Amino acid sequence: MSSNTADLLIEATRDLLWERGYIGTSPKAIQQRAGVGQGSMYHHFTGKSDLALAAIDRTAEELRAAAERQFAAPGTAVERITAYLRRERDVLKGCPIGRLTQDPDVMSDPALRGPVDETFVWLRGRLARVLAEGRAQGEPDVAALDPDSTAATIVAVLQGGYVLARAADSTEPFDQAVTGVLGLLTGPPPTDRD
């Protein structure tokens, strides 16, 4: 049994959790998606919960790494946050971590809920640090903003944008939400006073 088999199982579980949620992700469906047998699954994982935790952990790590690429890049605070909010996403599928908050089986299990909560705590904290860096550098767009509450607002708008997009079956509400929160960060556009 190779680590490749474990990776196949984790990736299959990630996909199924995103598509079907925890309750809809059966061990049989995982094995079929991964193309492995029951023995291989239980060789690497103690059961569905153990495998789901590995899948959620990997998803959370990848989301944090992807966000960190924008947050650590050169530029002003608003430029880095804009890059994060405007990066390519599968909007209509929703956030793979945010969707788990709607799954009662994940939220009722402290082990499975842990990486979900940790990811959102990290994201709010990292956004707050980006905003605080901008304030410390004297960037006018963020000078008057409270970093913690603004970071919480950005995360709420982003997650709400996913929900609105899924409800409308269109990316337009997500794009509008992102444009709106960026407008709040940068203030109103200049107007011509002729």
Side-chain angles (χ1 to χ4, degrees):
M1 307 293 164
S2 69
S3 63
N4 186 41
T5 301
D7 286 339
L8 289 171
L9 288 161
I10 291 170
E11 290 303 313
T13 304
R14 288 176 62 186
D15 291 344
L16 290 165
L17 285 172
W18 201 4
E19 293 167 15
R20 302 178 183 184
Y22 185 80
I23 197 76
T25 301
S26 69
K28 184 176 182 176
I30 294 167
Q31 293 159 21
Q32 288 175 340
R33 178 76 58 102
V36 302
Q38 182 177 356
S40 294
M41 181 174 157
Y42 290 104
H43 173 77
H44 292 284
F45 302 96
T46 59
K48 175 180 166 180
S49 180
D50 185 37
L51 182 50
L53 180 58
I56 294 168
D57 279 340
R58 183 176 290 178
T59 298
E61 288 170 13
E62 285 184 6
L63 286 177
R64 287 190 302 266
E68 185 58 29
R69 284 192 286 279
Q70 277 89 41
F71 296 149
T76 66
V78 171
E79 288 169 346
R80 292 182 285 155
I81 291 169
T82 299
Y84 167 70
L85 291 174
R86 297 267 189 222
R87 79 170 189 228
E88 190 172 327
R89 303 167 192 271
D90 196 347
V91 172
L92 294 180
K93 280 183 79 176
C95 173
I97 292 293
R99 285 193 61 181
L100 293 173
T101 65
Q102 300 302 310
D103 191 319
D105 295 298
V106 171
M107 292 294 97
S108 66
D109 182 328
L112 297 178
R113 186 181 63 243
V116 174
D117 182 46
E118 289 166 12
T119 299
F120 284 120
V121 168
W122 176 86
L123 183 55
R124 288 190 315 269
R126 190 62 180 98
L127 279 163
R129 286 192 305 280
V130 169
L131 291 162
E133 290 165 13
R135 285 178 67 178
Q137 296 294 321
E139 295 173 17
D141 286 336
V142 297
L145 299 176
D146 174 69
D148 292 326
S149 60
T150 303
T153 300
I154 293 168
V155 174
V157 168
L158 183 66
Q159 292 301 311
Y162 281 119
V163 170
L164 295 173
R166 286 176 55 82
D169 195 28
S170 167
T171 60
E172 186 176 347
F174 180 90
D175 296 335
Q176 288 176 325
V178 167
T179 298
V181 78
L182 289 172
L184 294 173
L185 288 176
T186 59
T191 58
D192 292 331
R193 296 186 183 220
D194 294 330

